[in-house]
């Protein structure tokens, strides 16, 4: 493996307090030297002049669709898309076919990932068997096979007794429970955020209360059991406040928000735009403001993509029948840069929410730039403008409401385990 010398970048890592211009030398898959001007004979040079060098991003929430839905995505295609988006570690959700609810399936994902993935892939196992919400999955054997969390993402675990037991079982395993917090009765039949847009379109709405009732219940159960609860894709102002108050009481809680819930409002579904149909639905500017506030004061720990690739046919249908989800790995960072350019979020904090913060939840020694650490690094040009063209996506999922959007800020290179796994050609 050739050494790599990243030259003259602004190296940012909030976790270690690093923000200085200099070089990074990578050797044997690890960071060997850092800062100042480094010379290394024979090393491959990555010129990062006027660019940012930061820890490779960690996505705690994406859908790779393998096994079962390979027309939407595979571990190979999804992980390559991740590399393009600056991600060096991705955690994949278990709503595959069959769902990842037992150890042999986890071993299957790990085996394929080892052979075919461009970046580190960490599987998440189901909370309940086949995600049906009736009985617990084989949590212990899946933990032994290497899952990093448990989730029935796509559905809320409706039965509170079962969720209590899942939390109790997760405790000795030391792994978090990731909950899709949406009360299925309150959300029943809903297609978009309950409000002016849904009414205008004649669609049944999903009230913010559907999320908040579920968040409140799961916080109470986390408080009861002492389990580590991670709330997926928080979308409402009320949920942010419930999490804030619970954290103040000392509940072991973490939470994520997606790039789309931070940057897009319910208005994107006007015209019955199925590309903007997601679960939970896009909300309002007031929710976005609360989510940004939550990121800044630590209520919301991380940003996760919820990359949800679908085929063209899954979206080319009437709104009520369309699949929920946005293919987000390749646009996540650039879309989020809007918040930096508009002064709403400092760049070092954005980077931390995508790297050191998810590493802390996963309790892994990743997401940081320091000597000896694994060489997982993203190089970013904060000012490079580009237009989203899904025809160029590496992901099999071209489903995004951002097609044709002009974005400012782009990942220009990704280094994973000491090797360049993506380099921008524009
Ligand atoms: O929009 C979504 N799509 N939200 C989810 O929770 C699931 C995901 C999917 O699997 O397509």
């Amino acid at each position: 493996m050739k050494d790599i010398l990243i030259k003259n970048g602004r190296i940012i890592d909030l976790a270690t307090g690093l923000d200085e211009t200099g070089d990074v030398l990578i050797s044997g898959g690890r960071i060997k030297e850092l800062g100042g001007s480094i010379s290394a004979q024979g090393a491959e040079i990555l010129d990062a002049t006027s660019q940012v060098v930061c820890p490779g991003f960690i996505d705690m929430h994406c859908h790779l669709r393998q096994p079962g839905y390979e027309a939407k995505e595979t571990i190979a295609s999804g992980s390559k898309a991740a590399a393009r988006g600056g991600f060096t570690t991705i955690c994949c959700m278990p709503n595959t076919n069959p769902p990842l609810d037992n150890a042999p399936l986890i071993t299957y994902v790990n085996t394929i990932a080892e052979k075919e993935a461009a970046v580190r892939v960490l599987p998440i196992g189901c909370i309940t068997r086949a995600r049906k919400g009736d009985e617990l999955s084989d949590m212990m054997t899946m933990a032994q096979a290497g899952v990093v969390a448990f989730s029935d993402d796509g559905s809320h675990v409706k039965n509170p007794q079962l969720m209590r037991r899942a939390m109790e079982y997760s405790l000795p395993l030391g792994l978090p429970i990731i909950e899709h917090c949406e009360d299925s009765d309150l959300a029943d039949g809903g297609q978009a955020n309950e409000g002016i847009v849904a009414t205008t379109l004649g669609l049944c709405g999903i009230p913010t209360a559907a999320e908040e009732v579920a968040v409140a219940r799961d916080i109470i159960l986390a408080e009861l059991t002492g389990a580590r609860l991670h709330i997926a894709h928080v979308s409402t102002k009320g949920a942010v406040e419930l999490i804030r108050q619970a954290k103040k009481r000392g509940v072991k809680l973490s939470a994520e928000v997606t790039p789309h819930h931070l940057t897009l409002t319910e208005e994107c579904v006007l015209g019955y735009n199925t590309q903007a149909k997601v679960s939970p639905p896009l909300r309002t500017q007031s929710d976005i403001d609360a989510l940004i506030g939550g990121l800044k004061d630590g209520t919301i720990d991380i940003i996760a993509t919820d990359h949800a690739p679908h085929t063209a046919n899954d979206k080319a249908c009437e709104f009520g029948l369309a699949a929920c989800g946005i293919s987000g790995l390749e646009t996540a960072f650039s879309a989020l840069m809007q918040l930096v350019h508009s002064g709403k979020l400092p760049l070092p904090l954005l980077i931390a929410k995508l790297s050191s913060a998810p590493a802390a939840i996963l309790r892994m020694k990743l997401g940081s730039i320091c000597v000896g650490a694994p060489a997982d690094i993203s190089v970013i040009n904060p000012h490079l403008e580009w237009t989203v063209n899904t025809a160029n996506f590496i992901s099999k999922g071209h489903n995004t409401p951002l097609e044709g959007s002009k974005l400012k800020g782009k990942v220009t290179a990704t280094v994973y385990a000491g090797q360049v796994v993506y380099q921008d050609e524009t």
Side-chain angles (χ1 to χ4, degrees), residues 87-104:
F87 293 88
T88 50
T89 299
I90 53 176
C91 303
C92 58
M93 282 295 174
N95 58 341
T96 50
N97 187 17
L100 307 179
D101 67 357
N102 61 64

Side-chain angles (χ1 to χ4, degrees), residues 61 63 65 72 93 95 131 152-155 180 232-233 260-261 277-280 306-310 315 323-326:
H61 187 152
H63 298 268
R65 309 298 193 202
K72 294 175 192 263
M93 282 295 174
N95 58 341
R131 297 177 60 251
D152 275 6
D153 182 58
S155 321
H180 178 122
H233 39 52
H260 45 273
H261 289 108
K277 186 180 178 190
V278 273
S279 171
D306 195 4
H307 171 75
H310 290 290
K315 290 285 192 179
C324 287
I326 292 173

Side-chain angles (χ1 to χ4, degrees), residues 39-315:
S39 48
Q41 276 206 340
E44 179 184 339
I45 306 287
L46 260 182
D47 183 11
T49 306
S50 307
Q51 301 199 65
V52 168
V53 177
C54 65
F57 302 146
I58 298 172
D59 188 7
M60 263 189 69
H61 187 152
C62 74
H63 298 268
L64 297 182
R65 309 298 193 202
Q66 193 176 353
Y69 302 115
E70 287 84 354
K72 294 175 192 263
E73 195 74 288
T74 62
I75 291 168
S77 63
S79 64
K80 284 192 186 88
R84 187 185 198 191
F87 293 88
T88 50
T89 299
I90 53 176
C91 303
C92 58
M93 282 295 174
N95 58 341
T96 50
N97 187 17
L100 307 179
D101 67 357
N102 61 64
L105 279 167
I106 300 303
T107 304
Y108 164 82
V109 170
N110 282 334
T111 308
I112 301 283
E114 215 164 286
K115 278 196 220 140
E116 299 175 13
V119 299
R120 186 180 293 106
V121 172
L122 304 172
I124 294 167
C126 295
I127 297 171
T128 70
R129 243 180 248 279
R131 297 177 60 251
K132 288 203 168 128
D134 299 327
E135 52 183 336
L136 290 184
S137 65
D138 298 329
M139 292 169 69
M140 162 111 86
T141 52
M142 282 197 289
Q144 287 161 347
V147 295
V148 293
F150 301 102
S151 183
D152 275 6
D153 182 58
S155 321
H156 184 230
V157 177
K158 194 177 169 74
N159 179 335
Q161 171 72 329
L162 198 63
M163 180 45 83
R164 176 190 180 167
R165 295 288 174 240
M167 287 186 177
E168 286 168 345
Y169 271 80
S170 74
L171 268 171
L173 305 175
L175 297 175
I177 296 273
I178 304 178
E179 256 286 55
H180 178 122
C181 285
E182 183 171 72
D183 182 276
S184 55
D185 293 312
L186 281 168
D188 193 29
Q191 303 292 340
N193 182 44
E194 183 172 287
I196 185 78
V197 171
T199 306
T200 306
L201 295 174
L203 296 171
C204 184
I206 300 172
T208 54
E211 178 162 322
E212 290 148 14
V213 162
V215 168
R217 186 206 77 175
D218 288 322
I219 285 173
I220 291 167
L221 292 177
E223 209 159 6
L224 171 71
T225 58
R228 292 169 61 205
L229 171 66
H230 177 81
I231 299 179
H233 39 52
V234 177
S235 74
T236 78
K237 186 177 178 174
V240 174
E241 193 49 34
L242 285 165
I243 295 163
R244 183 175 286 125
Q245 294 310 323
K247 282 191 166 186
K248 277 191 189 148
R249 294 199 301 279
V251 184
K252 285 188 209 145
L253 197 60
S254 56
E256 75 188 30
V257 60
T258 70
H260 45 273
H261 289 108
L262 280 171
T263 55
L264 304 173
T265 66
E266 57 180 353
E267 279 163 33
C268 289
V269 306
L270 281 169
Y272 302 96
N273 181 4
T274 58
Q275 301 297 346
K277 186 180 178 190
V278 273
S279 171
L282 299 175
R283 305 283 187 183
T284 64
Q285 190 58 48
S286 137
D287 294 298
I288 290 182
D289 294 342
L291 290 163
I292 294 171
L295 274 176
K296 283 175 131 173
D297 73 6
T299 301
I300 309 273
D301 302 77
I302 66 164
I303 300 172
T305 67
D306 195 4
H307 171 75
H310 290 290
T311 65
N313 281 346
D314 292 330
K315 290 285 192 179

